[in-house]
PDB file of all heavy atoms in Angstrom:
ATOM      1  N   GLY V  12       6.458  14.377   0.731  1.00 82.00           N
ATOM      2  CA  GLY V  12       5.751  14.132  -0.531  1.00 82.00           C
ATOM      3  C   GLY V  12       4.270  13.835  -0.428  1.00 82.00           C
ATOM      4  O   GLY V  12       3.649  13.430  -1.406  1.00 82.00           O
ATOM      5  N   LYS V  13       3.696  14.009   0.744  1.00 78.00           N
ATOM      6  CA  LYS V  13       2.255  13.765   0.895  1.00 78.00           C
ATOM      7  C   LYS V  13       1.487  14.933   0.297  1.00 78.00           C
ATOM      8  O   LYS V  13       1.864  16.086   0.471  1.00 78.00           O
ATOM      9  CB  LYS V  13       1.867  13.616   2.373  1.00 78.00           C
ATOM     10  CG  LYS V  13       2.546  12.478   3.076  1.00 78.00           C
ATOM     11  CD  LYS V  13       1.883  11.185   2.740  1.00 78.00           C
ATOM     12  CE  LYS V  13       2.547  10.070   3.549  1.00 78.00           C
ATOM     13  NZ  LYS V  13       2.121   8.788   3.149  1.00 78.00           N
ATOM     14  N   LYS V  14       0.411  14.616  -0.403  1.00 73.00           N
ATOM     15  CA  LYS V  14      -0.451  15.665  -0.925  1.00 73.00           C
ATOM     16  C   LYS V  14      -1.490  15.983   0.137  1.00 73.00           C
ATOM     17  O   LYS V  14      -2.121  15.087   0.684  1.00 73.00           O
ATOM     18  CB  LYS V  14      -1.138  15.219  -2.213  1.00 73.00           C
ATOM     19  CG  LYS V  14      -0.195  15.163  -3.387  1.00 73.00           C
ATOM     20  CD  LYS V  14      -0.936  14.945  -4.673  1.00 73.00           C
ATOM     21  CE  LYS V  14       0.030  15.008  -5.836  1.00 73.00           C
ATOM     22  NZ  LYS V  14      -0.671  14.951  -7.106  1.00 73.00           N
ATOM     23  N   LEU V  15      -1.662  17.271   0.406  1.00 71.00           N
ATOM     24  CA  LEU V  15      -2.602  17.705   1.437  1.00 71.00           C
ATOM     25  C   LEU V  15      -3.850  18.271   0.788  1.00 71.00           C
ATOM     26  O   LEU V  15      -3.828  18.707  -0.361  1.00 71.00           O
ATOM     27  CB  LEU V  15      -1.951  18.757   2.327  1.00 71.00           C
ATOM     28  CG  LEU V  15      -0.637  18.333   2.989  1.00 71.00           C
ATOM     29  CD1 LEU V  15      -0.031  19.493   3.736  1.00 71.00           C
ATOM     30  CD2 LEU V  15      -0.857  17.157   3.910  1.00 71.00           C
ATOM     31  N   GLY V  16      -4.936  18.276   1.527  1.00 66.00           N
ATOM     32  CA  GLY V  16      -6.181  18.853   1.025  1.00 66.00           C
ATOM     33  C   GLY V  16      -7.083  17.802   0.428  1.00 66.00           C
ATOM     34  O   GLY V  16      -6.821  16.594   0.499  1.00 66.00           O
ATOM     35  N   CYS V  17      -8.162  18.272  -0.166  1.00 59.00           N
ATOM     36  CA  CYS V  17      -9.135  17.366  -0.778  1.00 59.00           C
ATOM     37  C   CYS V  17      -8.496  16.675  -1.974  1.00 59.00           C
ATOM     38  O   CYS V  17      -7.684  17.269  -2.675  1.00 59.00           O
ATOM     39  CB  CYS V  17     -10.370  18.137  -1.238  1.00 59.00           C
ATOM     40  SG  CYS V  17     -11.298  18.814   0.125  1.00 59.00           S
ATOM     41  N   PRO V  18      -8.913  15.431  -2.229  1.00 55.00           N
ATOM     42  CA  PRO V  18      -8.401  14.748  -3.410  1.00 55.00           C
ATOM     43  C   PRO V  18      -8.790  15.523  -4.668  1.00 55.00           C
ATOM     44  O   PRO V  18      -9.841  16.142  -4.722  1.00 55.00           O
ATOM     45  CB  PRO V  18      -9.097  13.389  -3.387  1.00 55.00           C
ATOM     46  CG  PRO V  18      -9.717  13.264  -2.049  1.00 55.00           C
ATOM     47  CD  PRO V  18      -9.827  14.629  -1.479  1.00 55.00           C
ATOM     48  N   SER V  19      -7.928  15.459  -5.632  1.00 57.00           N
ATOM     49  CA  SER V  19      -8.190  16.157  -6.890  1.00 57.00           C
ATOM     50  C   SER V  19      -9.376  15.543  -7.606  1.00 57.00           C
ATOM     51  O   SER V  19      -9.597  14.328  -7.562  1.00 57.00           O
ATOM     52  CB  SER V  19      -6.952  16.054  -7.778  1.00 57.00           C
ATOM     53  OG  SER V  19      -7.249  16.522  -9.065  1.00 57.00           O
ATOM     54  N   THR V  20     -10.146  16.385  -8.264  1.00 49.00           N
ATOM     55  CA  THR V  20     -11.280  15.863  -9.039  1.00 49.00           C
ATOM     56  C   THR V  20     -10.815  15.434 -10.425  1.00 49.00           C
ATOM     57  O   THR V  20     -11.593  14.895 -11.193  1.00 49.00           O
ATOM     58  CB  THR V  20     -12.383  16.924  -9.180  1.00 49.00           C
ATOM     59  OG1 THR V  20     -11.819  18.081  -9.752  1.00 49.00           O
ATOM     60  CG2 THR V  20     -13.022  17.235  -7.856  1.00 49.00           C
ATOM     61  N   ALA V  21      -9.552  15.715 -10.744  1.00 56.00           N
ATOM     62  CA  ALA V  21      -9.039  15.290 -12.032  1.00 56.00           C
ATOM     63  C   ALA V  21      -8.960  13.774 -12.039  1.00 56.00           C
ATOM     64  O   ALA V  21      -8.304  13.166 -11.223  1.00 56.00           O
ATOM     65  CB  ALA V  21      -7.670  15.906 -12.281  1.00 56.00           C
ATOM     66  N   ASN V  22      -9.662  13.164 -12.952  1.00 60.00           N
ATOM     67  CA  ASN V  22      -9.617  11.720 -13.104  1.00 60.00           C
ATOM     68  C   ASN V  22      -9.899  11.399 -14.568  1.00 60.00           C
ATOM     69  O   ASN V  22     -10.349  12.268 -15.320  1.00 60.00           O
ATOM     70  CB  ASN V  22     -10.603  11.029 -12.145  1.00 60.00           C
ATOM     71  CG  ASN V  22     -12.041  11.392 -12.427  1.00 60.00           C
ATOM     72  OD1 ASN V  22     -12.524  11.263 -13.540  1.00 60.00           O
ATOM     73  ND2 ASN V  22     -12.739  11.869 -11.410  1.00 60.00           N
ATOM     74  N   PRO V  23      -9.651  10.189 -14.971  1.00 67.00           N
ATOM     75  CA  PRO V  23      -9.828   9.865 -16.392  1.00 67.00           C
ATOM     76  C   PRO V  23     -11.256  10.103 -16.886  1.00 67.00           C
ATOM     77  O   PRO V  23     -11.473  10.302 -18.072  1.00 67.00           O
ATOM     78  CB  PRO V  23      -9.480   8.377 -16.469  1.00 67.00           C
ATOM     79  CG  PRO V  23      -8.752   8.053 -15.217  1.00 67.00           C
ATOM     80  CD  PRO V  23      -9.148   9.068 -14.205  1.00 67.00           C
ATOM     81  N   GLN V  24     -12.220  10.089 -15.989  1.00 73.00           N
ATOM     82  CA  GLN V  24     -13.608  10.235 -16.415  1.00 73.00           C
ATOM     83  C   GLN V  24     -14.075  11.687 -16.450  1.00 73.00           C
ATOM     84  O   GLN V  24     -15.191  11.961 -16.837  1.00 73.00           O
ATOM     85  CB  GLN V  24     -14.525   9.438 -15.474  1.00 73.00           C
ATOM     86  CG  GLN V  24     -14.262   7.943 -15.542  1.00 73.00           C
ATOM     87  CD  GLN V  24     -15.062   7.201 -14.495  1.00 73.00           C
ATOM     88  OE1 GLN V  24     -15.078   7.601 -13.350  1.00 73.00           O
ATOM     89  NE2 GLN V  24     -15.711   6.128 -14.910  1.00 73.00           N
ATOM     90  N   ALA V  25     -13.211  12.633 -16.038  1.00 81.00           N
ATOM     91  CA  ALA V  25     -13.630  14.030 -15.939  1.00 81.00           C
ATOM     92  C   ALA V  25     -14.154  14.570 -17.259  1.00 81.00           C
ATOM     93  O   ALA V  25     -15.200  15.218 -17.318  1.00 81.00           O
ATOM     94  CB  ALA V  25     -12.494  14.899 -15.418  1.00 81.00           C
ATOM     95  N   SER V  26     -13.423  14.319 -18.350  1.00 81.00           N
ATOM     96  CA  SER V  26     -13.883  14.854 -19.636  1.00 81.00           C
ATOM     97  C   SER V  26     -15.172  14.166 -20.069  1.00 81.00           C
ATOM     98  O   SER V  26     -16.053  14.797 -20.670  1.00 81.00           O
ATOM     99  CB  SER V  26     -12.796  14.715 -20.700  1.00 81.00           C
ATOM    100  OG  SER V  26     -12.403  13.360 -20.834  1.00 81.00           O
ATOM    101  N   ALA V  27     -15.310  12.874 -19.743  1.00 83.00           N
ATOM    102  CA  ALA V  27     -16.544  12.161 -20.094  1.00 83.00           C
ATOM    103  C   ALA V  27     -17.730  12.725 -19.317  1.00 83.00           C
ATOM    104  O   ALA V  27     -18.810  12.926 -19.883  1.00 83.00           O
ATOM    105  CB  ALA V  27     -16.379  10.668 -19.814  1.00 83.00           C
ATOM    106  N   VAL V  28     -17.521  13.017 -18.035  1.00 84.00           N
ATOM    107  CA  VAL V  28     -18.582  13.586 -17.206  1.00 84.00           C
ATOM    108  C   VAL V  28     -19.014  14.934 -17.767  1.00 84.00           C
ATOM    109  O   VAL V  28     -20.208  15.213 -17.916  1.00 84.00           O
ATOM    110  CB  VAL V  28     -18.119  13.727 -15.735  1.00 84.00           C
ATOM    111  CG1 VAL V  28     -19.058  14.612 -14.934  1.00 84.00           C
ATOM    112  CG2 VAL V  28     -17.991  12.361 -15.074  1.00 84.00           C
ATOM    113  N   THR V  29     -18.029  15.773 -18.094  1.00 84.00           N
ATOM    114  CA  THR V  29     -18.334  17.091 -18.649  1.00 84.00           C
ATOM    115  C   THR V  29     -19.107  16.968 -19.958  1.00 84.00           C
ATOM    116  O   THR V  29     -20.094  17.672 -20.188  1.00 84.00           O
ATOM    117  CB  THR V  29     -17.036  17.898 -18.861  1.00 84.00           C
ATOM    118  OG1 THR V  29     -16.315  17.932 -17.629  1.00 84.00           O
ATOM    119  CG2 THR V  29     -17.319  19.306 -19.311  1.00 84.00           C
ATOM    120  N   ALA V  30     -18.679  16.054 -20.813  1.00 83.00           N
ATOM    121  CA  ALA V  30     -19.356  15.850 -22.100  1.00 83.00           C
ATOM    122  C   ALA V  30     -20.790  15.353 -21.900  1.00 83.00           C
ATOM    123  O   ALA V  30     -21.716  15.811 -22.576  1.00 83.00           O
ATOM    124  CB  ALA V  30     -18.564  14.867 -22.948  1.00 83.00           C
ATOM    125  N   MET V  31     -20.969  14.426 -20.968  1.00 84.00           N
ATOM    126  CA  MET V  31     -22.321  13.903 -20.698  1.00 84.00           C
ATOM    127  C   MET V  31     -23.239  15.020 -20.226  1.00 84.00           C
ATOM    128  O   MET V  31     -24.383  15.123 -20.668  1.00 84.00           O
ATOM    129  CB  MET V  31     -22.265  12.793 -19.635  1.00 84.00           C
ATOM    130  CG  MET V  31     -21.700  11.489 -20.098  1.00 84.00           C
ATOM    131  SD  MET V  31     -21.748  10.304 -18.729  1.00 84.00           S
ATOM    132  CE  MET V  31     -20.309   9.349 -19.077  1.00 84.00           C
ATOM    133  N   TYR V  32     -22.715  15.853 -19.317  1.00 85.00           N
ATOM    134  CA  TYR V  32     -23.546  16.919 -18.752  1.00 85.00           C
ATOM    135  C   TYR V  32     -23.880  17.970 -19.805  1.00 85.00           C
ATOM    136  O   TYR V  32     -25.027  18.389 -19.927  1.00 85.00           O
ATOM    137  CB  TYR V  32     -22.838  17.566 -17.548  1.00 85.00           C
ATOM    138  CG  TYR V  32     -23.690  18.620 -16.891  1.00 85.00           C
ATOM    139  CD1 TYR V  32     -24.771  18.261 -16.085  1.00 85.00           C
ATOM    140  CD2 TYR V  32     -23.446  19.963 -17.104  1.00 85.00           C
ATOM    141  CE1 TYR V  32     -25.568  19.214 -15.508  1.00 85.00           C
ATOM    142  CE2 TYR V  32     -24.237  20.931 -16.518  1.00 85.00           C
ATOM    143  CZ  TYR V  32     -25.303  20.548 -15.712  1.00 85.00           C
ATOM    144  OH  TYR V  32     -26.109  21.505 -15.148  1.00 85.00           O
ATOM    145  N   THR V  33     -22.881  18.385 -20.562  1.00 84.00           N
ATOM    146  CA  THR V  33     -23.151  19.397 -21.590  1.00 84.00           C
ATOM    147  C   THR V  33     -24.025  18.835 -22.704  1.00 84.00           C
ATOM    148  O   THR V  33     -24.684  19.583 -23.419  1.00 84.00           O
ATOM    149  CB  THR V  33     -21.844  19.982 -22.174  1.00 84.00           C
ATOM    150  OG1 THR V  33     -21.020  18.907 -22.635  1.00 84.00           O
ATOM    151  CG2 THR V  33     -21.105  20.806 -21.139  1.00 84.00           C
ATOM    152  N   GLY V  34     -24.029  17.513 -22.825  1.00 82.00           N
ATOM    153  CA  GLY V  34     -24.901  16.863 -23.811  1.00 82.00           C
ATOM    154  C   GLY V  34     -26.337  16.720 -23.331  1.00 82.00           C
ATOM    155  O   GLY V  34     -27.190  16.185 -24.040  1.00 82.00           O
ATOM    156  N   GLY V  35     -26.613  17.176 -22.094  1.00 84.00           N
ATOM    157  CA  GLY V  35     -27.985  17.177 -21.589  1.00 84.00           C
ATOM    158  C   GLY V  35     -28.320  16.077 -20.595  1.00 84.00           C
ATOM    159  O   GLY V  35     -29.459  15.967 -20.135  1.00 84.00           O
TER     160      GLY V  35
END
């Protein structure tokens, strides 16, 4: 059950980060 590879970038702040960036 171990997850391999880089940690996922999915996190609770992902949508906030995207919104901040698209907002300029």
Side-chain angles (χ1 to χ4, degrees):
K13 300 281 184 189
K14 287 189 175 186
L15 304 175
C17 293
S19 170
T20 56
N22 63 53
Q24 296 173 313
S26 57
V28 166
T29 306
M31 287 181 213
Y32 183 75
T33 54

